[in-house]
Amino acid sequence: MGTVTDDEVIRKRLLIDGDGAGDDRRINLLVKSFIKWCNSGSQEEGYSQYQHMLSTLSQCEFSMGKTLLVYDMNLREMENYEKNYKKIECSIAGAHEKIAECKKQILQAKRIRKNRQEYDALAKVIQRHPDRHETLKELEALGKELEHLSHIKESVEDKLELRRKQFHVLLSTIHELQQTLENDEKLSEVEEAQETSMETDPKP
Amino acid sequence: MERAMPQAVPLGQMEVLQALQRLHMIIFSQNVSPCGKFLAAGNNYGQIAIFSLSASLSSEAKEESKKPMVTFQAHDGPVYSMVSTDRHLLSAGDGEVKAWLWAEILKKGCKELWRRQPPYRTSLEVPEINALLLVPKENSLILAGGDCQLHTMDLETGTFTRALWGHTDYIHCLALRERSPEVLSGGEDGAVRLWDLRTAKEVQTIEVYKHEECSRPHNGRWIGCLATDSDWMVCGGGPALTLWHLRSSTPTTIFPMRAPQKHVTFYQDLILSAGQGRCVNQWQLSGELKAQVPGSSPGLLSLSLNQQPAAPECKVLTAAGNSCRVDVFTNLGYRAFSLSF
C-alpha cells in the first residue's frame, strides 16, 4: 500500500510541478516558448509571444539579481559573525587571564592577611609585657639606690673600724697599767717578805 | 588507640557481617597519590582502599565511582598512618611499616615491596606506629608511636639511623619544620618536643598543659594534633587548640573550640581543624571561626588536602573519621559528596 501511494504522490507532483519549482520552471517555460515562437506563424502572435518572452526574461534577470544580492548579503553576514566570534573568543581569553591574575592577587592578599594576623598575635603578647623604657628607668633608680646604700654601709663600717681600734688602744693601755700595778705589788710583797725574814733572823 | 574486635557471626550471613564491619569501621589515615588522581584510605581492619578522585569528580560520575577501585588487606592490625613518596605508598600499623608501589597498587593481588620494623627495646613489645613523616632533604622517614621514641629510617638503604628519646608517654603526631630541619613531636605526656635532626638532640620543649591559658585538665594533657609553619605552630588535643610562636615559646591565640581536635593543618591564610564533632572548622589566625562545615561522620580523625600540582582539577579537601565514609569538599564551603568503603 505504501509504495502505491508513493507512486501516486510522485505522479501527482510530477504533473503539477513537472518543470521544477519557481525559477527553474520559468527557464524551462522560456525555452519551450522560444521553441514555440520560432515555430509560430502569424506576426501578431509572434510579437505577443516575443513580448511575453522578454517579460519572462526580465523576470528571470530580476530574480537572479535578487539571488545575487542575497548571496552577497549572506557572505557579509558570515563575515560579520566570524568577526563577532573572534571578538568573543578574544574576550574569553582575556577574561581567563584576568581570572588567573585575580587568583594570584587573592593568594597574595591571603598571604598579606596571614602576615598581618601573625603580627597582631605577637603584638598582643608583647603588649602584655611592660614598656622597656619604664623598666629601664626603674632599673636605673634601683641602681642608684643600691649605690647610695652601699656608700652608707661603707661609711658605717669605717666608723666601726675606727671605734674598734680606739677601744683596742684603750684596752691595751689598761692591760699594761694593770700589769705594771701587779708587778709593783709583787715587788713590794717580796720586799716586805725580805724585811720580816731579816727581822726574825738577828733575834737569837 | 582502639582495636576492632572481630564479630562472631555464623556462616552464611556474609551480608550481615559486612554491614556490621562497615558500621564499626574507623578510617584512621588517608593519603593522596603523587599524580594527584587517587586517594588511599586506611581503616581499623587493616585494609587500604584506593579511590579514584578524578573519576568521582568528573561530570559523568556515577555511584560506582564513589566506591573504591581496589581494596586490599595491608596489615593485620589497624593502619594508623600513611605517607607517599613520589613512587611509593608507605603505610604503618602495629609495629611495622610497609611500602607499596603506586604504579602496581591498582592491580589485583598487589604485594608489598618491603616491610620493616624499627628496633624496639625488647622483642616482646610491638608498639603501634602512630605517625609517619617524610624528610625529603635527607630522604628519610621518621616513625613515632607507642614506644615513646622517634626512629629515623633511611629510605634508600632501609637502615634505622637514629632513635630520639625524650617523651615519657606514647607519641601521637609529628610535624616537620622545614627551614631549620627540625621535627616536632606531640605526645600523650602533654609536651611538644623539637628535635634537631643534624645533632639528634632535643632542642626545645613546650609543655602545653603548664600554660594556664590553654590547659584544660578535665580533658587531659595529651597532644593529639600538630602542624607547623616554620615560625608558628598549632597544637591541640586535651588542651585547647592554640597557636604558638616557636621562637619565644608563647601561646599567642587560643581557638575557642571545646571539643578536642584530632587533626590540624595550615592552609593559605587559614587553619583547618577537625576532631570530635562532625564539622571541619576553619579558623583565622586571629582566633575567629571563619566557617564550620559539617561532614557525614560523627567524629573526624584525619584531613587531607590534595595540592599535587599534576592534578589541579582534583584539588579537594577530604575528611575521614569514625565511619566508613570519606567526605570530599571541592570548595571549602560545603561537602560535595562522600566516598565510601
Side-chain angles (χ1 to χ4, degrees):
Chain A
M1 276 297 273
T3 45
V4 174
T5 43
D6 267 352
D7 274 347
E8 283 284 327
V9 169
I10 293 171
R11 232 173 164 210
K12 273 209 180 122
R13 289 196 71 172
L14 280 174
L15 280 172
I16 298 170
D17 214 19
D19 301 312
D23 298 320
D24 250 358
R25 183 191 188 171
R26 245 187 245 135
I27 292 177
N28 286 336
L29 280 176
L30 186 64
V31 170
K32 283 192 193 147
S33 53
F34 181 74
I35 293 174
K36 262 196 231 161
W37 179 66
C38 291
N39 291 339
S40 77
S42 64
Q43 185 81 356
E44 290 141 19
E45 236 186 77
Y47 190 69
S48 70
Q49 277 180 353
Y50 175 69
Q51 291 294 329
H52 188 68
M53 274 199 309
L54 279 180
S55 74
T56 337
L57 206 64
S58 59
Q59 269 181 10
C60 286
E61 278 179 3
F62 175 71
S63 76
M64 193 177 91
K66 216 168 48 165
T67 331
L68 276 175
L69 283 174
V70 168
Y71 173 69
D72 255 348
M73 176 193 85
N74 281 341
L75 278 180
R76 265 183 276 162
E77 270 297 306
M78 279 292 289
E79 272 177 36
N80 193 16
Y81 280 142
E82 279 288 329
K83 234 193 322 179
N84 276 350
Y85 182 69
K86 283 209 180 79
K87 224 189 333 173
I88 290 177
E89 263 193 15
C90 280
S91 58
I92 286 179
H96 272 305
E97 274 176 31
K98 260 195 234 161
I99 286 179
E101 258 304 307
C102 287
K103 278 196 183 158
K104 264 189 246 168
Q105 280 181 4
I106 273 193
L107 275 181
Q108 178 74 348
K110 280 191 177 168
R111 247 179 274 150
I112 290 177
R113 194 211 291 193
K114 183 175 182 191
N115 287 342
R116 277 211 198 116
Q117 285 180 335
E118 285 177 3
Y119 173 85
D120 276 338
L122 268 180
K124 248 193 278 177
V125 173
I126 289 173
Q127 286 285 58
R128 275 188 252 144
H129 291 277
D131 200 6
R132 196 195 284 190
H133 287 294
E134 290 180 16
T135 359
L136 277 176
K137 274 192 215 155
E138 273 178 35
L139 272 173
E140 262 189 62
L142 280 172
K144 279 197 194 130
E145 245 192 83
L146 210 69
E147 260 189 65
H148 182 63
L149 287 171
S150 60
H151 275 310
I152 294 177
K153 184 172 159 202
E154 268 183 46
S155 59
V156 165
E157 272 182 5
D158 283 341
K159 233 191 254 180
L160 204 67
E161 269 299 311
L162 194 64
R163 301 279 160 79
R164 208 181 278 151
K165 279 187 194 147
Q166 287 177 339
F167 266 116
H168 187 70
V169 164
L170 187 66
L171 282 174
S172 49
T173 15
I174 289 179
H175 261 291
E176 271 186 39
L177 186 64
Q178 243 184 18
Q179 283 286 336
T180 30
L181 284 173
E182 274 177 19
N183 281 347
D184 279 345
E185 256 191 56
K186 273 195 195 145
L187 271 173
S188 61
E189 269 180 21
V190 165
E191 273 181 27
E192 269 187 41
Q194 269 186 355
E195 273 184 33
T196 44
S197 65
M198 274 177 61
E199 272 177 19
T200 49
D201 259 343
K203 270 242 170 126
Chain B
M1 293 222 172
E2 310 105 314
R3 275 182 179 272
M5 300 302 291
Q7 306 290 320
V9 163
L11 284 172
Q13 290 190 334
M14 284 306 293
E15 291 95 18
V16 176
L17 178 63
Q18 273 176 16
L20 276 174
Q21 261 201 345
R22 285 162 58 87
L23 190 64
H24 291 282
M25 192 183 290
I26 302 177
I27 299 180
F28 281 115
S29 54
Q30 333 166 34
N31 207 266
V32 175
S33 67
C35 61
K37 303 209 171 103
F38 299 101
L39 178 75
N43 68 8
N44 55 340
Y45 301 121
Q47 298 166 333
I48 293 182
I50 312 286
F51 296 91
S52 168
L53 281 176
S54 47
S56 53
L57 286 168
S58 72
S59 41
E60 316 89 26
K62 293 163 292 206
E63 275 311 301
E64 296 92 60
S65 354
K66 307 212 176 119
K67 288 275 168 192
M69 295 187 71
V70 69
T71 312
F72 56 91
Q73 188 74 28
H75 290 261
D76 298 323
V79 181
Y80 288 124
S81 163
M82 292 198 288
V83 285
S84 273
T85 61
D86 41 340
R87 282 170 53 225
H88 302 111
L89 172 69
L90 304 168
S91 64
D94 269 339
E96 335 184 274
V97 58
K98 295 190 186 179
W100 315 81
L101 253 182
W102 271 109
E104 306 277 319
I105 213 166
L106 291 172
K107 305 188 188 157
K108 285 252 172 201
C110 170
K111 287 272 171 213
E112 73 248 16
L113 263 189
W114 46 258
R115 68 163 82 177
R116 301 204 71 74
Q117 206 180 52
Y120 295 123
R121 268 174 290 192
T122 66
S123 54
L124 293 171
E125 63 180 88
V126 186
E128 73 279 11
I129 298 177
N130 283 333
L132 289 176
L133 184 69
L134 270 179
V135 185
K137 274 194 195 152
E138 38 174 63
N139 197 21
S140 66
L141 178 72
I142 301 187
L143 309 94
D147 65 339
C148 317
Q149 294 176 28
L150 279 90
H151 296 275
T152 320
M153 184 184 100
D154 184 70
L155 281 173
E156 271 186 46
T157 59
T159 48
F160 287 92
T161 43
R162 300 183 203 101
L164 298 168
W165 279 62
H167 275 281
T168 52
D169 209 342
Y170 64 90
I171 299 171
H172 277 278
C173 45
L174 293 171
L176 181 67
R177 192 179 177 190
E178 271 160 33
R179 271 184 238 158
S180 45
E182 283 175 10
V183 176
L184 287 86
S185 60
E188 183 76 12
D189 57 352
V192 173
R193 291 175 205 269
L194 281 84
W195 311 85
D196 185 335
L197 289 174
R198 282 173 293 192
T199 59
K201 286 223 174 67
E202 189 177 326
V203 173
Q204 202 180 346
T205 310
I206 299 176
E207 291 186 301
V208 181
Y209 63 95
K210 286 199 176 152
H211 291 256
E212 270 182 51
E213 310 104 329
C214 47
S215 81
R216 298 189 295 198
H218 54 274
N219 274 343
R221 19 163 115 166
W222 50 281
I223 304 290
C225 52
L226 259 186
T228 180
D229 197 27
S230 282
D231 290 326
W232 300 81
M233 170 190 84
V234 184
C235 67
L241 189 67
T242 333
L243 178 69
W244 291 76
H245 185 237
L246 280 174
R247 284 241 203 96
S248 54
S249 298
T250 47
T252 55
T253 327
I254 297 172
F255 299 102
M257 183 84 211
R258 275 178 56 211
Q261 303 293 294
K262 304 273 177 71
H263 191 105
V264 71
T265 178
F266 280 92
Y267 174 60
Q268 290 180 348
D269 64 329
L270 296 173
I271 292 176
L272 305 174
S273 77
Q276 245 178 43
R278 292 187 165 263
C279 309
V280 175
N281 309 301
Q282 298 171 28
W283 306 93
Q284 289 193 335
L285 288 171
S286 56
E288 287 161 33
L289 180 61
K290 182 175 173 208
Q292 241 180 351
V293 187
S296 66
S297 319
L300 290 170
L301 289 172
S302 71
L303 292 174
S304 159
L305 267 169
N306 182 0
Q307 287 175 311
Q308 298 288 358
E313 71 277 3
C314 295
K315 183 171 176 183
V316 292
L317 168 73
T318 47
N322 290 342
S323 75
C324 58
R325 290 175 296 273
V326 177
D327 298 326
V328 177
F329 299 79
T330 45
N331 160 348
L332 287 185
Y334 66 96
R335 176 182 73 93
F337 56 89
S338 296
L339 302 164
S340 156
F341 254 77

